[in-house]
Amino acid sequence: MTAFVKIKALHKSLSLNEKKLADYTLNFAAEIRQLSSQGLADAVSVSQSSVVKFTQKLGYKGYPTFKLAIIDALNEEDTAIQIHGEITLTDDVDALFEKLYLSKVSVLAETKNINDAASFNQALQLIDKAKRILISGVGGSALVCKDFSYKLQKLGKFCIADHDTHAQLANVANFTKEDLVFVISESGETREVKEICLQAKKNKCKIISLTKYGDNPVSIHAEVRLFSVAEQDSVRLSSILARTSQEYVIDMLFIALTQGSAEKRKLLEKTNAVVARLKQR
């Protein structure tokens, strides 16, 4: 995960001084190559200890490690596709195509970088072993939940993805330690999803979360934490990009589960064949 991805993902949870450092880093990253920790502190008008705490909050041992990470991120960015502005009301169709395409490419790349292989593999194991799976989310995330449940059902998994929160709670109330709850929340703060997690913990169910990066009211309950990205706050783009990121994660899980099991591949072939026969009638 690049330093820039970490900063963007954690930005809303930073203190005032940390946000100053974050904004300076994102806007003037190239200048950090020549700055000491004291130099960065002076440039942003904060204390040197604030710089150290900021770098540690991002997961680095100190400023030297942070500075190297920024240099690496700048080198990667030289060849990366950049988003050319937000979509506006005056954009023509060609501009819409270009901006949305570049936005989605950027979000997919950051989603890939923000999730580590170890967590991904652990999620696969929990899904594979689960007797029953409840997939929980509301709003736009509920659409992703339903899609994921369809995919897992094709592999022979018992999945529930009900849009009604009361029904979700009723189902998880009867779950046990052999069952899995997979929660999806773009913000990681959805009250209904948090309640599902609390009930799942009471019943000792395993939990996988798919939320924004970092600790949040939903992810703190999960044994495995996966992350999605919605880089822009634009009303026109944020939910679209969030679903793009969420769908990327669940598609990767589905493909990996299929790839890793001959039995699941046979089940998928069987379900596809049944649907194909219906279409031929």
Side-chain angles (χ1 to χ4, degrees):
M1 187 193 316
T2 70
F4 298 147
V5 173
K6 287 183 179 180
I7 292 171
K8 291 173 185 176
L10 291 173
H11 194 277
K12 290 183 179 179
S13 67
L14 299 176
S15 67
L16 180 60
N17 283 343
E18 289 168 345
K19 284 182 179 177
K20 290 181 181 179
L21 289 162
D23 292 339
Y24 185 90
T25 302
L26 294 174
N27 293 322
F28 306 103
E31 295 186 12
I32 291 178
R33 288 170 168 163
Q34 284 78 42
L35 291 176
S36 64
S37 59
Q38 185 61 60
L40 177 58
D42 292 341
V44 185
S45 300
V46 299
S47 67
Q48 188 177 25
S49 63
S50 293
V51 174
V52 175
K53 290 178 182 177
F54 170 65
T55 61
Q56 291 175 342
K57 192 163 189 175
L58 293 174
Y60 302 107
K61 292 182 179 180
Y63 183 75
T65 310
F66 165 76
K67 186 173 179 178
L68 288 173
I70 293 298
I71 293 171
D72 288 342
L74 284 169
N75 291 336
E76 289 182 18
E77 205 173 58
D78 287 340
T79 57
I81 297 175
Q82 299 297 306
I83 297 177
H84 297 293
E86 287 191 1
I87 290 176
T88 67
L89 294 175
T90 58
D91 286 334
D92 60 19
V93 172
D94 287 336
L96 289 175
F97 271 124
E98 184 71 5
K99 289 183 178 180
L100 184 57
Y101 167 74
L102 291 172
S103 296
K104 288 203 169 195
V105 168
S106 177
V107 164
L108 291 172
E110 292 201 6
T111 303
K112 178 176 71 69
N113 290 333
I114 211 170
N115 288 286
D116 62 84
S119 296
F120 190 82
N121 286 326
Q122 191 177 355
L124 291 173
Q125 292 175 11
L126 291 181
I127 293 170
D128 198 39
K129 292 179 180 179
K131 182 178 179 181
R132 295 177 294 179
I133 302 173
L134 173 72
I135 308 176
S136 173
V138 299
S141 296
L143 301 175
V144 181
C145 292
K146 182 62 73 173
D147 183 27
F148 195 27
S149 72
Y150 289 151
K151 285 179 167 67
L152 292 181
Q153 287 166 13
K154 289 182 178 180
L155 302 181
K157 301 300 298 185
F158 181 89
C159 291
I160 305 168
D162 199 300
H163 285 263
D164 186 274
T165 305
H166 292 174
Q168 292 179 31
L169 279 169
N171 280 306
V172 78
N174 294 314
F175 270 31
T176 70
K177 63 182 180 180
E178 296 181 334
D179 301 316
L180 170 68
V181 175
F182 193 112
V183 290
I184 302 177
S185 170
E186 177 187 346
S187 66
E189 300 173 1
T190 311
R191 181 176 61 84
E192 294 88 343
V193 177
K194 180 183 174 183
E195 288 298 319
I196 297 293
C197 289
L198 292 173
Q199 183 61 52
K201 294 296 285 187
K202 287 181 182 178
N203 290 10
K204 299 182 179 179
C205 305
K206 293 290 188 286
I207 301 173
I208 300 173
S209 65
L210 176 56
T211 69
K212 69 178 183 180
Y213 181 75
D215 293 335
N216 55 65
V218 171
S219 70
I220 58 173
H221 298 291
E223 280 77 18
V224 179
R225 302 193 301 173
L226 303 175
F227 303 110
S228 61
V229 174
E231 184 176 326
Q232 301 188 23
D233 291 328
S234 164
V235 173
R236 301 180 189 89
L237 278 182
S238 60
S239 61
I240 294 173
L241 297 182
R243 287 199 299 275
T244 297
S245 179
Q246 292 168 350
E247 288 282 357
Y248 183 38
V249 173
I250 68 165
D251 285 348
M252 281 295 298
L253 290 169
F254 171 69
I255 292 170
L257 286 166
T258 306
Q259 182 188 53
S261 169
E263 179 183 358
K264 288 182 176 60
R265 289 195 296 275
K266 289 181 180 178
L267 288 170
L268 182 59
E269 290 172 2
K270 183 178 180 180
T271 56
N272 288 341
V274 169
V275 174
R277 285 200 298 271
L278 178 63
K279 291 181 179 179
Q280 292 170 359
R281 292 176 182 174

